[in-house]
Amino acid sequence: MEGSKTILVVDDTPENIDVLVGLLSSEYRVRAATRGIKALELAASDHPPDLILLDIMMPEMDGFEVCRRLKADPITASIPVIFVTAKIAVADEIKGFELGAVDYLSKPVSPPILLRRVKTQLALADQNHALERIVAERTAELELSRLQVVHCLGRAAASRERGSNAHALRISRYSRLLGEEAGMGPTDAALLLNASLMYDVGKIGLPDSALEIASNPGKGARAVIEAETKMGVRILGNDNSDLLTMARTIVTTFRESFDGSGYPRGLTGRDIPLVGRIVAIANMFETLTTQRAQTEAYPVPEALIQLEACAGIQFDPELVRRFCRAEAEILEIKSVLGD
C-alpha cells in the first residue's frame, strides 16, 4: 500500500474501530487509538496521520478536548478531523465545527458517505498543502529579492567611503554577533544582520561636499549627519516589512548616545531601541579598527578599551561588556571579512 494515505481512527469501543478499519483498510493505512492521549501522541509522531476520524464520547478525555488540543498545537493543527459520533444534537455539531473539525458524521455510519467524505477531505488537504507550498515559494522569492535590494543599497552607501570594501559587511556581522550576545533569537538576529547593512544608506543621497564636512567633526558636521538621517528614511520609504522597519529604526537611532547627548532626538538609556544601541557599538568599533586617510587603525584589544571608556556615556554599558567578551568571534569576523 505504498504511497497511500494514513487514517487515524479514535474510538474507545473496539467494535467501532473494527467497523471503520474494515471500511477503510482496502484504500488507506489505518491506525487506531482507544484513548485521547494516545491519539495526540500518534498525531504528533514522526509519521502523523493524513486525517483523523474522532469519536466524542470517550473516558478521560472526550473528542472535543482532543480536537481542541490538536488545533492548538502547530505540529498537528493542519490535520483534518472528522467527528464520527452518536452525539447528533445540533449544538454538538456546531461545537465540533467551532473547534476546527472539517466534517461531522453520525453513527451508525453509512459506508458510502464515510468513504466519500474521507476522500473529499483528503483531496482538499492536498490542495491546501499545494497552495501553502506555492505561497511559501513565492514568499521566499520576494524575500530574496528584497534582500538583494538591501545588499545593493548597502554596497552603494559603502561605496561613498573610499577604501571601505567590507565596511558595511563587518558592521552587519558585529551587529548580529552582539544581538545574539544580548539574547536575540535567530529570527531577530538574522533581521539585524541585513537591516544593519543600511545603517548609513542616507549617504547615497548626499553630495561629496557634504560627506567631506561630515567626516571632520566640527561646525556643520551635525547638520550634515542629520540630513543624512532624513535622507535615509526617505530612501527606505514606508514599507512595513520587519526588515525595513528595523532598518528605519537603526538609521534614526544609532547616533543617539546613552547619556542623552546624541541625535537626532536626544534619547537616553534604554529609550534608545536595542538595535540602535547595538549598531552604534558595531559602527564605532569598525571606525576604530579601520585605517583611514587621517587616522591609523587601533588593534582590536585597544579598540575594545576605547569602547569601554565610552560605556555609560555614548554606549550601553551592558552591551559594551557583552561585545568585549566576544573578542574571539570579533577577530574571526575581521579575519574573514578583511579588506
Side-chain angles (χ1 to χ4, degrees):
M1 204 176 294
E2 184 178 353
S4 62
K5 303 289 187 180
T6 298
I7 310 295
L8 174 60
V9 176
V10 187
D11 197 305
D12 65 316
T13 303
E15 291 80 2
N16 290 338
I17 290 177
D18 290 342
V19 170
L20 293 174
V21 170
L23 291 172
L24 298 164
S25 58
S26 62
E27 295 185 49
Y28 308 105
R29 294 190 182 92
V30 184
R31 305 183 74 182
T34 58
R35 293 292 185 272
I37 289 294
K38 183 62 177 178
L40 293 172
E41 291 176 1
L42 292 173
S45 68
D46 292 338
H47 302 286
D50 298 287
L51 182 143
I52 298 173
L53 299 178
L54 180 60
D55 187 24
I56 292 176
M57 295 182 290
M58 297 185 295
E60 300 171 13
M61 182 187 299
D62 69 12
F64 287 141
E65 178 62 15
V66 173
C67 186
R68 187 192 68 76
R69 295 194 187 190
L70 287 168
K71 297 306 173 183
D73 186 343
I75 296 174
T76 58
S78 64
I79 302 174
V81 174
I82 297 177
F83 280 115
V84 182
T85 178
K87 289 175 72 70
I88 59 174
V90 172
D92 294 321
E93 290 190 46
I94 292 172
K95 183 175 182 179
F97 286 119
E98 287 178 344
L99 287 170
V102 296
D103 209 339
Y104 197 102
L105 300 177
S106 60
K107 293 178 180 176
V109 296
S110 164
I113 291 177
L114 173 72
L115 291 172
R116 173 53 60 182
R117 299 285 181 83
V118 167
K119 185 174 182 179
T120 297
Q121 293 302 332
L122 287 172
L124 287 172
D126 284 344
Q127 289 179 9
N128 288 336
H129 292 154
L131 286 172
E132 288 169 1
R133 284 194 295 272
I134 291 170
V135 169
E137 289 169 1
R138 296 292 184 269
T139 301
E141 289 172 2
L142 288 171
E143 186 61 23
L144 178 59
S145 297
R146 178 178 283 140
L147 289 178
Q148 288 171 337
V149 170
V150 165
H151 281 259
C152 287
L153 287 172
R155 287 195 297 272
S159 71
R160 301 303 307 278
E161 291 191 57
R162 296 176 180 84
S164 59
N165 299 335
H167 176 66
L169 288 175
R170 285 194 295 268
I171 288 176
S172 74
R173 270 36 173 211
Y174 297 145
S175 296
R176 178 177 63 180
L177 171 63
L178 184 49
E180 292 169 343
E181 293 292 322
M184 275 188 175
T187 300
D188 286 339
L191 276 175
L192 179 57
L193 173 72
N194 291 295
S196 58
L197 284 168
M198 296 178 284
Y199 78 103
D200 62 349
V201 70
K203 286 180 178 175
I204 296 173
L206 297 184
D208 289 342
S209 58
L211 295 181
E212 210 47 53
I213 294 171
S215 66
N216 297 293
K219 187 177 180 180
R222 177 164 178 156
V224 171
I225 293 173
E226 288 177 347
E228 179 190 327
T229 301
K230 292 177 182 177
M231 180 62 71
V233 172
R234 286 179 59 192
I235 290 171
L236 293 173
N238 296 317
D239 187 291
N240 62 357
S241 69
D242 291 341
L243 177 62
L244 293 183
T245 297
M246 184 183 286
R248 281 194 299 273
T249 300
I250 290 169
V251 164
T252 56
T253 63
F254 85 98
R255 289 192 175 93
E256 300 285 356
S257 293
F258 203 73
D259 67 356
S261 62
Y263 47 90
R265 295 168 57 195
L267 299 176
T268 60
R270 287 173 177 77
D271 287 340
I272 305 168
L274 176 62
V275 293
R277 286 179 273 141
I278 286 172
V279 175
I281 293 171
N283 177 56
M284 178 55 73
F285 177 78
E286 171 64 15
T287 299
L288 291 170
T289 55
T290 300
Q291 184 169 345
R292 299 171 187 268
Q294 304 92 343
T295 60
E296 291 292 322
Y298 281 91
V300 168
E302 291 185 28
L304 295 177
I305 291 171
Q306 292 289 324
L307 286 178
E308 288 177 325
C310 296
I313 303 170
Q314 187 173 357
F315 306 120
D316 182 329
E318 178 57 29
L319 291 179
V320 170
R321 281 193 289 271
R322 291 177 183 273
F323 190 70
C324 291
R325 285 203 300 262
E327 183 174 351
E329 291 86 349
I330 291 168
L331 288 168
E332 183 178 356
I333 291 170
K334 283 192 68 64
S335 174
V336 172
L337 291 173
D339 284 331

